[in-house]
DNA sequence: TTACAGCATTAGAGCGCTCCAACCAATAGA
DNA sequence: TCTATTGGTTGGAGCGCTCTAATGCTGTAA
């Protein structure tokens, strides 16, 4: 249970500790002879460098900290994929941490990440107050994903929810729909832009917006539909705030004996793996999630390398994915 | 961007660095006077201890490394919840890392985790070869979750797939089914025990097992059902290897004009959040995932504290969750 | 008075590494 | 011949902290 140190390797290879350090960092100014001797000794001893000692001594870090607000949401997994890809390419390691959607836990997670003195921090849809983010940003570069922020000196990466909602409305209108309701995401992140985009797109088409208050869950989607049916205000098409909400809406419609998309078309938002299941096959709005991650990592590394000090705000364009839950009013021709 | 050190705090508080260290670690042998002076100075400077320097100097670590083979799978998120809970209680921090189901990437992830010299390592369903695990286990305590192993000195936490499969079969038989097929998980982890449990349970009931080769995806589940229909060998009930497979199976059944559960009952495995969606409402087998995490963390911490050296093998009992995809043959009475 | 606890406090070494300046051939240039 | 130059190598300081042993300082007993 005791790991060899550089000293041990140096002793075995018959060189100085400094030389071993050079070899480990792949310096070109080491003779082939010594290099192989060192590598051999390291191999035999099962040596691998101590990242913390290294970072302490060099006063630099090759670690990027990532705080994921909710590990249960596959959305973040794909963002992490993108981060990982870029980080690996550029020789950085990624450590992840989760806040479980609770501000208190998230704060602790942030502290914990910070205590490793990483080169930078990426926060995925954090729920901690902006002040906590600002404080972190004073100590190291910080990038926010899926949460906008007015904190200066923080880069952000978001999707353009207004465009996404417009894409959905345009699609439904082009199918011939005129009565299109939006089940909105209430206080949820990004609910605002989606709602605004929906309203703007409806008005642009000369149609009357119908915003129904709802939430990001399937139960809420079902509830919203039931209330629409009860009040006899059911439209021919629904734009949900996200995929879960849409699936709940579909269930409630089917429970009421209505067919999707024959009687009512439904569009989700996020293109989660759920939407792609053949049993669901939901028309939805896709966000370039891996791209989110790549851009976030790029932005962070630019700051880490001090290539940029001005904050950057990425706003990515979502796209429409047509599956089987949308059709012209009255059903597919 | 430069963080204050202990020295700075000591200077400001008019004490020695060692005293600040004692205060930071909550030592009782510090006078109230000095303690408050130190805390005040630390507060004013925005000081927080440098975890790496601390761990280097003390030759101990309060970090648990967790390698998640696949971040996209919500199964692991719940296990991490359990780990997190126990770790937090006992004053340990958790850092996560992912291998993306690729042995090469996973190996790198392992290296990276190891380079932080954590107190111990938890591997969630790793795909790296056993030798790599064994090598890690020589350096620090290692716990394996959702992967059995014959490596000595490694603790494991698994669910009893044989019991789970038996629960499902018993449930179907009690509903009156006799022709029950199993869509199996092929080479996937835990597919073996589930298949064995199914076969054993069928035989215990005096029924003929019918194992159909399949995989852990919804497309594979659909394919298996189509082949059963084509070959006219469709049973009255299906036990899928997991929930995704089950959802695919349901889609294919519905495509063929069959109703679930009226014509065919379907049982999944894992009780993912997918199964709980009202649109799906899948009868399935639940594994105590958070409990997996808690037990794994407990086992690891026991070893970290050197309270135990003998390996421990946890085998947890799954349970049946009845929803709407199972009914007596011919449909609900 | 001296001795001796008992307690709070501190100096200093050292954790495993990096980095700088110095060093030492060996070769090239004058 | 002597002086630069170059490429490879090394000692030693120091990163921010912990830990041990030693220090100073009371107060009490002899």
């Amino acid at each position: 249970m005791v790991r060899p140190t550089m000293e041990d390797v140096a002793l075995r290879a018959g060189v100085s500790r400094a030389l071993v350090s050079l070899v480990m960092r792949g310096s070109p100014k080491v003779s082939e002879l010594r290099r192989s001797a060192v590598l051999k000794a390291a191999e035999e001893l099962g040596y691998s460098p101590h990242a913390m000692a290294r970072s302490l001594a060099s006063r630099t870090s090759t670690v990027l900290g990532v705080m994921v607000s909710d590990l249960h949401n596959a959305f973040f997994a794909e963002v992490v994929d993108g981060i990982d890809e870029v980080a690996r390419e550029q020789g950085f390691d990624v450590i992840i941490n989760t806040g479980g959607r609770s501000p208190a836990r998230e704060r602790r997670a942030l502290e914990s990440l910070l205590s490793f003195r990483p080169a930078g921090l990426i926060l995925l849809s954090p729920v901690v107050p902006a002040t906590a983010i600002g404080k972190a940003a004073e100590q190291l570069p910080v990038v926010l994903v899926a949460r906008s922020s007015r904190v200066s000196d923080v880069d952000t990466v978001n999707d353009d929810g207004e465009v996404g909602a417009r894409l959905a409305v345009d699609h439904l209108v082009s199918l011939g729909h005129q009565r299109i309701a939006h089940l909105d995401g209430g206080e949820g992140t990004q609910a605002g832009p989606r709602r605004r985009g929906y309203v703007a797109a409806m008005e642009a088409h000369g149609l009357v917006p119908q915003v129904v208050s709802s939430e990001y869950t399937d139960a809420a989607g079902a509830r919203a539909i039931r209330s629409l049916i009860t009040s006899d205000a059911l439209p021919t098409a629904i734009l949900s705030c996200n995929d879960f909400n849409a699936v709940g809406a579909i269930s409630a419609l089917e429970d009421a004996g209505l067919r999707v998309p024959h009687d009512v078309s439904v569009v989700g938002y996020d293109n989660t793996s759920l939407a792609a299941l053949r049993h669901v096959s939901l028309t939805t709005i896709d966000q370039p999630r891996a791209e989110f991650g790549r851009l976030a990592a790029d932005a962070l590394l630019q700051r880490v390398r001090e290539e940029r000090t001005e904050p950057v705000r990425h706003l990515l364009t979502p796209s429409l994915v047509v599956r089987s839950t949308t059709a012209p009013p009255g059903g597919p021709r």
Side-chain angles (χ1 to χ4, degrees), chain A:
Chain A
M1 291 275 173
V2 59
R3 303 197 62 172
T5 76
M6 228 170 221
E7 202 72 54
D8 301 325
V9 177
L11 221 66
R12 188 178 188 101
V15 299
S16 72
R17 190 189 56 246
L19 214 245
V20 178
S21 172
L22 289 174
V23 172
M24 286 304 149
R25 282 175 291 145
S27 162
K29 40 173 106 178
V30 177
S31 67
E32 223 20 79
L33 184 75
R34 311 283 191 166
R35 180 189 307 281
S36 56
V38 167
L39 290 178
K40 181 159 164 285
E43 173 67 32
E44 287 167 0
L45 291 174
Y47 172 81
S48 79
H50 191 312
M52 297 191 175
R54 166 176 288 179
S55 128
L56 187 61
S58 65
R59 270 142 290 179
T60 61
S61 169
T62 57
V63 172
L64 302 186
V66 175
M67 212 278 300
V68 180
S69 69
D70 185 9
L71 225 44
H72 297 77
N73 192 334
F75 179 91
F76 297 117
E78 297 186 36
V79 179
V80 169
D81 282 344
I83 295 173
D84 232 47
E85 183 189 324
V86 171
R88 241 197 347 263
E89 268 172 27
Q90 316 217 8
F92 282 76
D93 281 320
V94 171
I95 62 176
I96 305 169
N97 204 152
T98 176
R101 285 235 147 275
S102 133
R105 274 184 64 188
E106 203 171 273
R107 198 164 215 133
R108 211 197 120 126
L110 211 61
E111 281 291 321
S112 157
L113 235 31
L114 243 28
S115 77
F116 284 97
R117 302 290 193 276
L121 222 51
I122 299 181
L123 307 181
L124 303 188
S125 198
V127 298
V128 286
T131 54
I133 296 173
K135 241 182 68 186
E138 286 171 16
Q139 305 185 356
L140 38 45
V142 172
V143 177
L144 248 44
V145 177
R147 157 153 175 181
S148 48
S149 163
R150 246 157 301 267
V151 179
S152 52
D153 292 332
V154 165
D155 300 330
T156 58
V157 180
N158 284 291
D159 97 308
D160 192 334
E162 301 199 24
V163 171
R166 175 154 51 75
L167 284 175
V169 171
D170 288 354
H171 168 61
L172 291 168
V173 168
S174 78
L175 287 172
H177 291 277
Q178 303 215 318
R179 291 175 48 221
I180 305 169
H182 176 50
L183 310 194
D184 101 322
E187 299 300 307
T189 344
Q190 309 303 336
R194 291 177 193 176
R195 183 170 47 236
R196 283 195 299 277
Y198 159 79
V199 171
M202 289 297 280
E203 287 169 351
H205 285 290
L207 301 174
V208 184
Q210 179 187 5
V211 174
V212 181
S213 132
S214 189
E215 281 174 59
Y216 283 156
T217 64
D218 73 313
R223 255 196 321 272
I225 290 298
R226 282 195 296 268
S227 81
L228 282 174
I229 292 175
T230 306
S231 59
D232 219 20
L234 195 68
T236 64
I238 299 283
L239 168 55
S240 276
C241 51
N242 76 350
D243 289 349
F244 289 106
N245 182 285
V247 170
I250 293 173
S251 302
L253 288 166
E254 287 176 343
D255 287 351
L258 294 160
R259 290 159 301 167
V260 175
H262 198 97
D263 300 315
V264 180
S265 286
V266 177
V267 180
Y269 204 114
D270 282 347
N271 193 23
T272 52
S273 60
L274 171 66
L277 284 177
R278 41 178 299 120
H279 184 54
V280 176
S281 191
L282 182 68
T283 294
T284 187
I285 302 295
D286 181 71
Q287 303 186 43
R289 284 160 282 196
E291 185 66 14
F292 277 23
R294 282 190 291 267
L295 283 173
D298 276 332
L300 191 66
L301 290 174
Q302 281 171 17
R303 277 191 190 256
V304 167
R305 287 188 299 252
E306 300 185 329
E307 295 167 6
R308 176 172 56 75
T309 55
E310 288 307 297
V312 65
R313 308 263 127 115
H314 287 291
L315 207 56
L316 298 199
T317 306
S319 59
L320 177 73
V321 179
V322 179
R323 293 206 181 86
S324 327
T325 56
T326 49
R333 277 158 295 218

